[in-house]
Amino acid sequence: MTRGKFITLEGIEGAGKSTATKFVCAWLQERAVVVRLTREPGGTPLAERVRQIVLERGTETLSPVTETLLMFAARALHVQSVILPALTRGEWVVCDRFTDATWAYQGSGRGVDAGLLGTLAAAVHGGLEPDCTLLFDLPAATGLARARARSGSGADRFEAETVAFFEKVRAGYLARARAEPRRFRVLDAAAPLADVERAIGSALKGLLSQEVTA
Ligand code: T5A
């Protein structure tokens, strides 16, 4: 059986990833692809509990390294229980965030050492990398305004960060996209939804045609 494709969606808060996952899944299903939609942090019952810990604005401070370890703990559960089994069954996995988020948020945003991130990524998912990463790029102020309009006073620990923090995260994402142009497709997420969806469709067409010609 052919291994499925692994598609990740990345970007700062309010970039439109969750909205786009629905479009990606529907687009693939219309073409008879079996899709497994999932997200990080989360994707398994225990990993979803870790998600609550990292998102809640509790009284206990999480250091950048603690935050990083929690992200990778959740990811280890997710990769072993959900992502690898689905890919092995030939399903396509559509994942709202993966390790690029750790490089962007904990690495570029919080300043966690790249050596540590590389070691943890290798230990947790070895040779597993996304086949395609859709990066939803937009100015931090625009994304945050969208996210806060939706969350209101219920903003989570990340949404409560400053625009300057998210500009560092955005720069981290764009640097990764420049370093791996074949894997990343950078989309203008400030554009009207119809334009964003057209760009997603074009990226997915490319991925599907690789499958046919492989
Ligand atoms: N995190 C995660 C790390 O720090 N390290 C890691 O390793 C990982 C995996 C997860 C948090 O954890 C952090 C990053 C995050 O802070 P999350 O809920 O997955 O949290 O991520 P968020 O970015 O917070 O999710 P959001 O829901 O805020 O953003 P989305 O999914 O990008 O945006 P979406 O689709 O919900 O859209 C937001 C609003 O904008 C509108 C939508 O209708 C919605 O109201 N919208 C548009 N409006 C106009 N034009 C468009 N093109 C639009 N697209 C969407």
Side-chain angles (χ1 to χ4, degrees):
M1 171 162 307
T2 318
R3 176 189 174 279
K5 299 273 188 205
F6 183 25
I7 301 172
T8 56
L9 293 88
E10 297 282 0
I12 60 167
E13 326 299 287
K17 300 171 304 299
S18 309
T19 308
T21 53
K22 298 182 193 88
F23 177 82
V24 169
C25 291
W27 194 97
L28 291 170
Q29 282 160 348
E30 277 165 21
R31 287 152 185 88
V33 176
V34 179
V35 182
R36 179 72 157 85
L37 171 62
T38 187
R39 68 171 181 184
E40 290 210 348
T44 81
L46 206 49
E48 288 290 330
R49 283 165 65 186
V50 178
R51 177 186 178 91
Q52 282 173 14
I53 294 171
V54 292
L55 294 191
E56 76 189 2
R57 292 170 78 180
T59 48
E60 213 168 335
T61 306
L62 291 186
S63 76
V65 168
T66 306
E67 193 176 85
T68 302
L69 294 172
L70 287 168
M71 294 297 177
F72 274 110
R75 185 162 298 134
L77 291 161
H78 190 212
V79 166
Q80 290 310 318
S81 309
V82 175
I83 300 178
L84 285 178
L87 292 173
T88 306
R89 287 193 299 269
E91 295 168 18
W92 285 37
V93 173
V94 175
C95 191
D96 192 341
R97 300 188 182 280
F98 191 61
T99 300
D100 291 304
T102 315
W103 285 98
Y105 281 77
Q106 282 66 50
S108 303
R110 306 270 199 232
V112 173
D113 176 59
L116 175 63
L117 297 183
T119 301
L120 290 169
V124 167
H125 55 86
L128 174 70
E129 290 294 339
D131 296 292
C132 172
T133 298
L134 302 172
L135 174 56
F136 294 79
D137 179 57
L138 83 178
T142 312
L144 263 187
R146 280 187 195 168
R148 286 178 182 160
R150 195 205 37 212
S151 310
S153 58
D156 66 34
R157 219 164 52 77
F158 288 96
E159 285 166 2
E161 286 289 348
T162 61
V163 169
F165 171 80
F166 288 109
E167 281 301 350
K168 282 196 277 183
V169 174
R170 181 189 185 196
Y173 270 130
L174 289 171
R176 289 188 70 71
R178 279 193 299 277
E180 287 187 72
R182 285 166 64 91
R183 171 163 74 88
F184 275 88
R185 177 69 78 97
V186 182
L187 309 171
D188 175 9
L193 200 52
D195 294 354
V196 176
E197 290 180 348
R198 238 189 317 277
I200 295 172
S202 139
L204 295 177
K205 240 179 237 163
L207 204 58
L208 205 56
S209 66
Q210 283 172 20
E211 178 86 343
V212 172
T213 53

